[in-house]
């Protein structure tokens, strides 16, 4: 290069961790290029990326990281453009002047739902975490005691812990936060998950609630600004926690939470499931698993996956939000039966992360075969509103039954599989699940040594015969 000049642009950062927002803005300087090509390099990578101007607008960016920047090498100068809006989107429209004429480089630093720093990756790679996070438990307590929670049928509102919760927080039930947690039953699920799961992205910093990573957004419909019901109510939630001395309540219950975590680990052999699934779906790999739960959660579960690509290697973590270990704590059940039943909750959250990507390879066939969703899902067509979603629900629960056959003695396996078939067919109205499950078990028995991913063509063809 003949000379090396730095032009540095600092964008305005809009309340990075509070009410942040995505930003699109023009770059204030036209970059002159001696040729119709240039190079760029992101600060977290040594790789020079060649860029060629072939249209009026060229587009290229990457996921954002803290302190990130992009350097544009023109051949005579270099221009550094920093990402100043992490973890939200930041888009620059950079004017270019080249022998080809005027054009625009749309540079985007993508917003990220989570970013795992190197220390986190080193600490948690290959590990299974099980926890009751402080702010997540605060969210569960608030929702359970709220008007919506008191009408719900899928929360735990009995037992010693619930009685302790309701007794301790009874003097604070007139707090204005509860007026904001009263929703019609028709939208209950939307707001429940939005409130509960997004609380996971926050922690206490003194009396404040802050979102400073590694998680920034869990679920919802505002992926530009990471808006959620929990975020909107932050001042009220923080005030409730302070007025009620919630943190003292949480600290005093640490022995109980520790026993719950220990019991959850015993009844949910996640590492076993993880190893088995990656043998059966070898194309899909994850580096960390986290089980997040509250003793107040009943039958409402979800899973999310988070990835950090801007590191020496891809780090993927699966987080499962599930009920506590007391769900099947009945004297009539053996320990292995309890383990099998409770494992079904987390397994059928985990294996969506393996099943769904393989299903996508057969999406055209699945769309055709499952187009009459009522034939397969009865009254569930509102929840599972496309053919692929219906098939994935069949497949995830049937794959669980294959795992059960590999893990337990025949008596326990028959018991757990029978319960699963009854749950799916009779209660959840996946009306052909029992037939589907037996068909997949039969295919596995006649194809020993083959991973489950290899059985997809055969089980999809079996579904075609049912139609």
């Amino acid at each position: 290069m003949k000379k090396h000049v730095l032009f540095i642009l600092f964008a305005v950062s809009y309340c990075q961790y509070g009410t942040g927002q995505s930003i699109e803005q023009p770059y204030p300087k036209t970059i002159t290029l001696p040729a119709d090509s240039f190079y760029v390099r992101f600060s977290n990578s040594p790789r020079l990326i060649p860029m060629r101007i072939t249209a009026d607008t060229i587009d290229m960016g990457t996921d954002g990281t803290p302190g990130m920047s992009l350097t544009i090498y023109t051949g005579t100068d270099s221009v550094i453009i920093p990402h100043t809006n992490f973890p939200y989107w930041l888009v620059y429209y950079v004017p270019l002047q080249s022998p080809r004429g005027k054009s625009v480089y749309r540079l985007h630093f993508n917003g990220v739902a989570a970013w795992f720093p190197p220390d986190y990756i080193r600490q948690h790679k290959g590990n299974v975490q099980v926890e009751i996070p402080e702010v997540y438990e605060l969210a569960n307590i608030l929702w359970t005691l709220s008007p919506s929670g008191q009408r719900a049928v899928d929360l735990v509102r009995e037992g010693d812990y619930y009685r302790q919760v309701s007794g301790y927080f009874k003097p604070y039930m007139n707090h204005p936060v509860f007026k904001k947690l009263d929703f019609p039953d028709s939208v209950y699920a939307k707001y429940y998950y939005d409130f509960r799961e997004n609380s996971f992205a926050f922690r206490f910093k003194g009396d404040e609630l802050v979102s400073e990573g590694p998680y920034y957004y869990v679920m919802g419909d505002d992926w530009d600004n990471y808006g959620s019901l929990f975020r909107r109510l932050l001042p009220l939630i923080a005030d409730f926690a302070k007025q009620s001395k919630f943190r003292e309540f949480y600290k005093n219950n640490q022995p109980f939470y520790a026993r719950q975590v220990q019991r959850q680990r015993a009844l949910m052999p996640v590492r076993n499931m993880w190893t088995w699934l990656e043998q059966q779906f070898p194309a899909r790999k994850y580096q960390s698993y986290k089980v997040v739960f509250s003793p107040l959660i009943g039958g409402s579960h979800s899973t999310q996956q988070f990835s950090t690509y801007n590191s020496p290697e891809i780090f993927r973590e699966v987080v499962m939000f599930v009920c506590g270990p007391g769900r099947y704590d009945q004297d009539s059940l053996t320990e292995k039966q309890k383990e099998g039943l409770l494992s079904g909750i987390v397994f059928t959250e985990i294996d969506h992360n393996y099943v769904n990507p393989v299903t996508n390879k057969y999406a055209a066939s699945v769309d055709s075969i499952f187009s009459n969703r009522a034939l397969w899902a009865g009254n569930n067509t509102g929840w599972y509103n496309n053919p692929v979603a219906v098939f994935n629900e069949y497949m995830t629960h049937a794959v669980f039954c294959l795992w059960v056959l590999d893990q337990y003695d025949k008596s326990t396996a028959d018991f757990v599989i029978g319960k699963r078939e009854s749950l799916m067919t009779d209660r959840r109205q996946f009306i052909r699940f029992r037939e589907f499950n037996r068909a997949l078990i039969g295919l596995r028995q006649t194809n020993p040594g083959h991973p489950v991913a290899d059985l997809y063509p055969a089980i999809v063809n079996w579904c075609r015969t049912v139609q």
Side-chain angles (χ1 to χ4, degrees):
M1 290 185 179
K2 295 180 181 178
K3 58 180 178 176
H4 190 82
V5 181
L6 300 181
F7 297 99
I8 303 178
L9 172 67
F10 292 96
V12 178
S13 179
Y14 288 87
C15 195
Q16 196 166 324
Y17 297 112
T19 56
Q21 64 183 47
S22 297
I23 300 172
E24 293 193 43
Q25 62 187 32
Y27 185 78
K29 179 180 176 63
T30 298
I31 296 177
T32 301
L33 304 172
D36 292 333
S37 63
F38 59 97
Y39 287 87
V40 300
R41 183 178 67 82
F42 291 98
S43 57
N44 63 340
S45 171
R47 179 180 170 228
L48 275 174
I49 304 170
M51 304 285 288
R52 186 165 182 82
I53 301 173
T54 58
D56 290 341
T57 301
I58 56 175
D59 187 294
M60 197 277 287
T62 191
D63 289 349
T65 66
M68 187 182 209
S69 65
L70 173 95
T71 301
I72 298 176
Y73 298 95
T74 69
T76 57
D77 301 330
S78 64
V79 181
I80 297 176
I81 303 178
H83 178 22
T84 56
N85 199 38
F86 181 85
Y88 306 99
W89 274 81
L90 176 59
V91 180
Y92 288 112
Y93 294 92
V94 183
L96 304 174
Q97 180 69 55
S98 71
R100 188 179 187 276
K102 293 183 178 180
S103 56
V104 174
Y105 171 27
R106 182 180 181 272
L107 164 63
H108 52 92
F109 297 99
N110 303 333
V112 293
W115 182 78
F116 301 104
D119 286 348
Y120 184 97
I121 293 173
R122 283 192 294 270
Q123 182 180 355
H124 297 296
K125 185 178 180 180
N127 292 333
V128 176
Q129 304 165 71
V130 181
E131 58 185 47
I132 305 173
E134 184 177 23
V135 177
Y136 188 74
E137 187 59 16
L138 169 60
N140 278 280
I141 287 172
L142 281 169
W143 191 274
T144 302
L145 296 177
S146 73
S148 286
Q150 290 295 296
R151 295 193 300 269
V153 297
D154 58 351
L155 301 177
V156 176
R157 294 197 306 273
E158 60 183 8
D160 292 342
Y161 180 67
Y162 172 73
R163 285 190 287 272
Q164 184 183 3
V165 166
S166 57
Y168 180 89
F169 293 102
K170 185 176 181 180
Y172 310 98
M173 292 304 297
N174 288 327
H175 192 278
V177 70
F178 290 111
K179 294 181 180 178
K180 302 292 186 178
L181 298 176
D182 189 0
F183 301 99
D185 292 347
S186 59
V187 295
Y188 171 88
K190 169 183 168 63
Y191 288 108
Y192 172 55
Y193 283 108
D194 181 273
F195 184 81
R196 188 185 83 177
E197 256 67 322
N198 283 306
S199 71
F200 179 64
F202 291 84
R203 65 178 179 85
F204 279 103
K205 197 173 187 177
D207 290 332
E208 292 184 65
L209 289 166
V210 298
S211 177
E212 296 181 338
Y215 310 97
Y216 300 103
Y217 198 53
V218 180
M219 66 181 302
D221 53 14
D222 186 5
W223 289 95
D224 289 330
N225 304 313
Y226 300 165
S228 67
L229 176 61
F230 191 87
R231 184 182 286 271
R232 291 198 299 274
L233 297 181
L234 275 182
L236 287 176
I237 295 168
D239 183 71
F240 173 85
K242 182 178 181 179
Q243 296 299 327
S244 67
K245 295 183 173 58
F246 163 78
R247 302 197 73 186
E248 185 176 316
F249 173 87
Y250 181 81
K251 181 180 178 180
N252 291 339
N253 273 281
Q254 283 304 303
F256 169 72
Y257 298 146
R259 291 193 300 272
Q260 287 275 292
V261 167
Q262 184 179 17
R263 183 67 171 153
Q264 192 85 312
R265 283 187 175 276
L267 293 180
M268 286 186 176
V270 175
R271 182 171 295 281
N272 178 296
M273 303 176 198
W274 181 3
T275 300
W276 187 90
L277 280 164
E278 295 201 349
Q279 290 170 347
Q280 301 302 320
F281 297 85
R284 199 71 177 172
K285 302 293 182 185
Y286 294 91
Q287 286 68 50
S288 174
Y289 274 87
K290 181 176 286 188
V291 177
V292 175
F293 73 98
S294 164
L296 298 173
I297 294 176
S300 302
H301 313 122
S302 70
T303 184
Q304 300 293 330
Q305 54 177 288
F306 303 92
S307 302
T308 291
Y309 292 92
N310 291 318
S311 59
E313 56 183 325
I314 295 175
F315 179 83
R316 294 188 181 99
E317 180 177 86
V318 174
V319 181
M320 292 151 292
F321 302 94
V322 298
C323 66
R327 185 167 178 82
Y328 295 107
D329 201 8
Q330 304 163 18
D331 293 339
S332 59
L333 300 175
T334 68
E335 281 296 288
K336 284 298 180 183
Q337 287 173 339
K338 292 177 186 178
E339 179 186 301
L341 293 173
L342 197 65
S343 291
I345 292 170
V346 72
F347 190 101
T348 52
E349 295 299 331
I350 290 176
D351 70 338
H352 270 293
N353 298 291
Y354 297 88
V355 165
N356 293 16
V358 180
T359 299
N360 291 339
K361 298 178 182 179
Y362 304 92
S365 295
V366 170
D367 280 340
S368 172
I369 296 167
F370 283 75
S371 60
N372 182 3
R373 287 178 288 123
L375 177 68
W376 298 91
N379 295 325
N380 271 321
T381 54
W383 284 98
Y384 300 90
N385 57 8
N386 63 72
V388 167
V390 173
F391 176 82
N392 281 337
E393 199 66 8
Y394 268 82
M395 196 69 181
T396 52
H397 288 264
V399 170
F400 166 67
C401 293
L402 297 183
W403 176 79
V404 167
L405 287 170
D406 283 356
Q407 305 306 315
Y408 298 105
D409 61 88
K410 186 178 186 306
S411 176
T412 301
D414 288 346
F415 174 82
V416 174
I417 291 172
K419 290 290 187 181
R420 181 62 44 168
E421 290 178 342
S422 178
L423 168 70
M424 291 294 289
T425 306
D426 304 328
R427 180 176 165 188
R428 299 189 64 204
Q429 293 299 301
F430 286 92
I431 51 184
R432 297 186 180 274
F433 178 77
R434 190 172 281 108
E435 304 164 57
F436 180 97
N437 193 44
R438 302 298 169 88
L440 187 61
I441 290 172
L443 287 169
R444 181 105 185 287
Q445 291 170 342
T446 56
N447 293 274
H450 286 264
V452 174
D454 288 354
L455 303 180
Y456 263 70
I459 192 62
V460 169
N461 284 335
W462 177 87
C463 294
R464 196 186 307 277
T465 66
V466 173
Q467 184 187 32

